[in-house]
Amino acid sequence: MRRAGGRSRPGGFCSSLGPVSFSYPILPQGHLLGIEGLEAPQIQALLDLAESYALLNRQGKTQRDLLKGRTLINLFFEDSTRTRTSFELAGKRLGADVINMSVATSSVNKGETLLDTAATLNAMNTDILVVRHAQSGAPALLAQKVQAAVINAGDGTHEHPTQALLDALTIRRRKGDLRNLVVAICGDIAHSRVARSNIHCLNAMGAEVRLIAPPTLLPAEIGRLGVRIFQDMRRGLAGADVVMMLRLQRERMAGGLVPSAREFFRFYGLDREKLSYAKPDAIVMHPGPMNRGIEIDSAIADDPARSVIGEQVEMGVALRMAVLDVLARGLRRNA
Amino acid sequence: MRPLLIENARLLDPASGLDAPGALLIEEGRIASLSGAPAGEAERFDAGGACLAPGLIDLRAALGEPGHEHRETIASAAAAAAAGGITTLCALPDSEPPIDDPALVQFLARKGEATGSLTILPYAAATKGLKGAEITEYGLLREAGAIAFTDGSRAIASARCMRLALSYARAFGTFIVQHPEEPTLAAGGVATEGELATRMGLPGIPLAAEAIMVARDIALARLTGGHVHFSRLSTAAALELVRRAKAEGLAVTADTAPPYFDLNETAIGEYRTYAKLSPPLRPEEERRAVLAALADGTIDCVVSDHRPCDADDKRLPFVQAEPGGAGLATLLAVTLAQVHNGSLPLLHALALLTCRPAALLGLDAGRLAPGLPADLVLFDLERAWQVKAGQLPGKAQNSPFDGRALEGRVIATFKRGRRVFPP
């Protein structure tokens, strides 16, 4: 037990409930809309469960009875091959019927569609709804209107909770414990839901969170979320255990938030020289897709000694299986 | 029409400071006396000890008509206004089409007359098509009945255009109402920039966007000698600028709306789109600054800032939802909340809703004085009620105060001596 009453009991492989049993609802709201508001024991329990799924996945075993007869819909209002595929695989490995709905063209990407869609999904008796949307709060709005359990797969610049959880899982596997680790998040914090979810998650788990970005890419009052802010990347990386790079979208250059790609790479791109300021065993993470040569040098992204980017993807499936498992147990309707 | 004697009332006239039990006599739609009994026989109305005050004058309301009748018609707005004790209302010009032509001004005023319960004083657009480039025909529009000039919820962004508007308005004894928000800083923003917006992942508008526009326009008022009125001030910095401009003797006036002294930004938590307003709700310290400015006279009037939206406008992700709140039915009661909590004296609060907007507009109204039209509101200062979206009078139900418990309820509203609420 890391905290009193906190960690779920590893209960061996219970045939009907999946690999780990637990005696209380981990997500009592019945949805996963964000990390903000989750407590360390909840996160710990999800990571423990995901850990066991990671093991099963590596052994090539599946749990196809767990979500048998359940319908999982991937509702993506924004393109994302990576996250959608990860949820699809997670759902299928647990035996769910997975349907992908892409509504990713701007002409139909309207709010009216959102609630009309909610009505349709209710009529189809959807059990779990995975939502990605360009607007902050859209999954929360859907959660009010649908009977399904809703998983936020990224909303605007608000949150991307499963990404933060899979990042925490990846870090935990490499570093053992998140407590007191120094994690530096670098790049476009202002437009990053990944950064926000990671800040909440890492803080809840007791890590020290640093942000490294030019002021134009930092959101207002971000310091109040319990982070230390650095403008100088070398100082920010000094002594870091984990370096988390964020994607810089090219539109940000057009918007004048940074003057050019070459200037950004020079001061905020991760290369060997800057990485040398971090701890010698520091790991490098990226939520993908990467802009090589803008925020990260290929030599680092592809260095198996430092980069855990591939493992993040692997953990993504396991973590999402854990989330689906937890939410499926809370579903009222029997399959 | 027989004379009407409203007796057993607590007469409240903020202009004269009158706060005393008494009776008010109405003859031919006008206030005849505050003391004497009628010469002949009169109809009697027992006020039951409730407060009788001048009907409210709302300096700022958007109407759904013309252009958005699905949100609200003038008839439904008039019903909501009557239920809120409002007898005169200044209508914003940012409708479809925008009110930038004398015929449209006359149309709106006539529509108000037709309700029988509400005087509509139309603003005309300050610039053609509300585009912020060329000023409209202030002279002809004034002749048609335009009360003043504004581009509504759009700021007049060009300093040159604002300079011309303020200068030219002087020739016709009118003023320019500015939306106090620097548009390039505010572009895309839906909440006040800060910790809450950052946590919610919402694009923010910095507080400074208000002070920057107010500072610029105060300088232009000084340059031109024109009169600028800032509508819905909600930040401490901008209010301090107005305070100093008034001390300097410049023709600068200001209003605010109930959400900015009754709510703070936490009302948008969980993406509550009914609390999405323009300007956005502010942090608590700004709300306190608004209250201080109401108390010390920096703010001249409290306006409803009514803006009707229907469910389809609001049941959207926060960024996509329309800004604006229904405000007619709650204007008096939310303002009275500041009387009940001791922030404002009763007559001071009522002055912000009656004689002070009347003075600003140059209206012979907003007072309990013999000879004035008998536009009156009778309200129970203590009666408790709860705001419930869906059960408000009128069509627009998008109240940012949904669920708010209030004390102070309108019992009756009189327009030119005729009771128009309850209908």
Side-chain angles (χ1 to χ4, degrees):
Chain A
M1 286 258 203
R2 295 183 189 192
R3 271 190 168 181
R7 200 165 181 198
S8 63
R9 285 172 290 111
F13 293 158
C14 177
S15 61
S16 63
L17 285 178
V20 176
S21 68
F22 37 86
S23 53
Y24 59 94
I26 294 175
L27 296 171
Q29 316 85 326
H31 306 290
L32 179 61
L33 300 175
I35 300 291
E36 189 172 15
L38 292 188
E39 306 279 348
Q42 294 173 279
I43 295 170
Q44 201 75 259
L46 283 169
L47 299 187
D48 291 346
L49 185 57
E51 186 90 53
S52 60
Y53 275 120
L55 188 63
L56 283 182
N57 285 344
R58 284 203 174 166
Q59 292 167 344
K61 293 180 184 165
T62 52
Q63 286 275 324
R64 297 209 186 267
D65 52 337
L66 202 66
L67 291 187
K68 194 158 181 283
R70 298 289 191 190
T71 305
L72 184 158
I73 295 192
N74 275 323
L75 183 61
F76 276 58
F77 291 88
E78 268 187 345
D79 283 322
S80 162
T81 313
R82 187 180 297 243
T83 305
R84 184 181 53 69
T85 310
S86 182
F87 270 108
E88 185 173 358
L89 205 49
K92 285 183 170 163
R93 284 196 182 154
L94 294 175
D97 298 320
V98 181
I99 293 157
N100 293 317
M101 289 175 67
S102 285
V103 207
T105 45
S106 59
S107 62
V108 287
N109 189 6
K110 289 272 193 285
E112 291 91 340
T113 312
L114 193 63
L115 290 193
D116 289 349
T117 308
T120 310
L121 295 170
N122 277 338
M124 293 194 294
N125 291 320
T126 309
D127 295 299
I128 297 176
L129 188 61
V130 177
V131 186
R132 166 161 296 189
H133 200 283
Q135 302 297 345
S136 301
L141 180 63
L142 266 176
Q144 291 169 14
K145 306 287 175 189
V146 297
Q147 279 130 33
V150 175
I151 301 172
N152 178 2
D155 63 329
T157 53
H158 176 224
E159 285 227 40
H160 190 354
T162 56
Q163 178 71 43
L165 292 168
L166 74 88
D167 287 344
L169 179 61
T170 307
I171 297 170
R172 202 176 79 166
R173 285 168 63 92
R174 289 297 182 113
K175 299 290 176 186
D177 189 353
L178 287 145
R179 230 178 317 170
N180 300 323
L181 286 184
V182 176
V183 182
I185 306 176
C186 316
D188 185 2
I189 315 283
H191 302 91
S192 178
R193 52 197 174 210
V194 174
R196 282 173 179 73
S197 286
N198 262 309
I199 291 167
H200 296 311
C201 185
L202 293 165
N203 272 329
M205 302 308 286
E208 178 194 326
V209 185
R210 298 179 183 175
L211 303 182
I212 304 171
T216 50
L217 293 180
L218 283 170
E221 305 290 340
I222 189 79
R224 298 182 67 125
L225 271 61
V227 294
R228 291 178 65 197
I229 294 166
F230 293 84
Q231 255 87 58
D232 181 321
M233 195 165 184
R234 291 175 184 83
R235 289 179 60 189
L237 288 182
D241 298 285
V242 178
V243 183
M244 207 176 260
M245 301 305 298
L246 299 173
R247 176 179 169 78
L248 179 76
Q249 289 176 351
R250 286 174 187 280
E251 305 92 86
R252 307 303 167 214
M253 256 92 74
L257 295 176
V258 286
S260 70
R262 66 177 187 180
E263 173 144 319
F264 185 79
F265 185 70
R266 169 85 173 72
F267 292 96
Y268 297 99
L270 187 66
D271 55 20
R272 275 215 193 280
E273 191 271 326
K274 294 196 199 85
L275 183 58
S276 71
Y277 287 79
K279 281 193 183 154
D281 62 345
I283 55 170
V284 175
M285 309 179 78
H286 195 296
M290 284 181 281
N291 286 311
R292 292 165 184 267
I294 293 181
E295 72 257 358
I296 191 164
D297 192 329
S298 280
I300 291 171
D302 301 332
D303 178 356
R306 308 306 292 268
S307 166
V308 295
I309 295 168
E311 189 171 338
Q312 285 176 276
V313 178
E314 182 192 352
M315 289 308 117
V317 178
L319 184 277
R320 285 167 181 128
M321 289 170 80
V323 171
L324 293 175
D325 179 352
V326 165
L327 289 176
R329 291 178 206 207
L331 288 172
R332 267 163 286 158
R333 194 175 67 86
N334 288 325
Chain B
M1 199 155 105
R2 270 208 306 170
L4 173 68
L5 183 70
I6 303 175
E7 53 189 358
N8 191 19
R10 177 181 173 186
L11 299 178
L12 294 167
D13 181 36
S16 66
L18 171 72
D19 177 359
L24 182 143
L25 180 67
I26 300 166
E27 283 176 352
E28 302 298 323
R30 292 184 177 268
I31 299 170
S33 106
L34 296 179
S35 49
E41 200 177 311
E43 194 181 333
R44 285 163 185 266
F45 185 100
D46 184 357
C51 299
L52 187 65
L56 309 190
I57 298 169
D58 181 5
L59 204 63
R60 182 188 184 93
L63 301 176
E65 192 174 342
H68 294 285
E69 287 80 359
H70 63 288
R71 290 176 181 157
E72 182 181 67
T73 61
I74 284 174
S76 80
I86 298 166
T87 50
T88 300
L89 170 155
C90 301
L92 290 175
D94 42 356
S95 50
E96 278 177 42
I99 308 302
D100 61 356
D101 184 271
L104 291 165
V105 171
Q106 286 162 350
F107 161 81
L108 268 183
R110 272 203 311 274
K111 278 281 201 175
E113 278 305 306
T115 67
S117 66
L118 182 67
T119 299
I120 294 179
L121 303 174
Y123 284 109
T127 68
K128 288 176 189 165
L130 306 168
K131 293 198 173 102
E134 298 167 68
I135 58 173
T136 53
E137 300 160 319
Y138 293 2
L140 294 174
L141 288 160
R142 277 288 273 169
E143 277 183 355
I147 191 75
F149 297 84
T150 180
D151 278 358
S153 49
R154 294 183 214 186
I156 299 168
S158 151
R160 178 178 179 275
C161 186
M162 188 63 172
R163 176 195 182 170
L164 294 175
L166 286 169
S167 296
Y168 193 67
R170 287 180 62 203
F172 301 98
T174 187
F175 58 97
I176 306 294
V177 178
Q178 175 69 302
H179 175 70
E181 201 169 64
E182 206 291 311
T184 64
L185 273 177
V190 297
T192 298
E193 190 174 283
E195 182 184 350
L196 182 70
T198 291
R199 282 182 187 273
M200 294 176 76
L202 296 175
I205 301 174
L207 288 171
E210 181 167 296
I212 287 170
M213 194 51 113
V214 168
R216 185 200 79 175
D217 287 351
I218 287 173
L220 291 173
R222 190 183 292 118
L223 173 69
T224 59
H227 175 180
V228 62
H229 177 87
F230 299 109
S231 198
R232 296 105 80 244
L233 285 188
S234 56
T235 68
L239 288 163
E240 184 54 30
L241 291 168
V242 169
R243 197 172 280 125
R244 279 192 242 149
K246 287 187 161 192
E248 192 189 330
L250 298 176
V252 172
T253 52
D255 68 54
T256 195
Y260 303 107
F261 57 80
D262 193 74
L263 301 173
N264 66 28
E265 62 180 352
T266 59
I268 68 167
E270 301 183 341
Y271 302 99
R272 282 190 66 238
T273 56
Y274 276 30
K276 180 179 176 181
L277 305 174
S278 171
L281 289 171
R282 307 300 193 181
E284 175 63 11
E285 54 269 33
E286 309 298 321
R287 184 190 75 85
R288 287 167 192 264
V290 171
L291 266 182
L294 283 171
D296 74 9
T298 302
I299 294 174
D300 298 273
C301 317
V302 172
V303 304
S304 74
D305 195 28
H306 176 74
R307 184 165 289 270
C309 297
D310 68 9
D312 290 342
D313 298 325
K314 288 288 191 184
R315 278 191 206 139
L316 291 170
F318 197 86
V319 167
Q320 293 170 335
E322 285 284 329
L328 298 174
T330 51
L331 174 61
L332 177 63
V334 180
T335 306
L336 289 177
Q338 299 305 329
V339 175
H340 289 299
N341 71 18
S343 298
L344 298 175
L346 176 58
L347 285 179
H348 184 109
L350 289 175
L352 293 162
L353 298 165
T354 57
C355 58
R356 292 184 68 184
L360 182 61
L361 296 169
L363 301 179
D364 208 10
R367 291 177 290 134
L368 297 186
L372 293 192
D375 293 356
L376 304 165
V377 57
L378 184 70
F379 63 94
D380 181 335
L381 187 58
E382 256 86 47
R383 191 185 295 178
W385 61 294
Q386 190 181 24
V387 182
K388 285 185 183 152
Q391 295 175 21
L392 291 168
K395 202 169 177 188
Q397 299 294 320
N398 53 311
S399 172
F401 301 108
D402 188 20
R404 174 88 161 85
L406 291 167
E407 263 179 280
R409 183 128 218 209
V410 174
I411 299 170
T413 304
F414 298 86
K415 182 70 184 172
R416 292 190 200 96
R418 198 172 64 83
R419 200 186 73 187
V420 293
F421 177 83

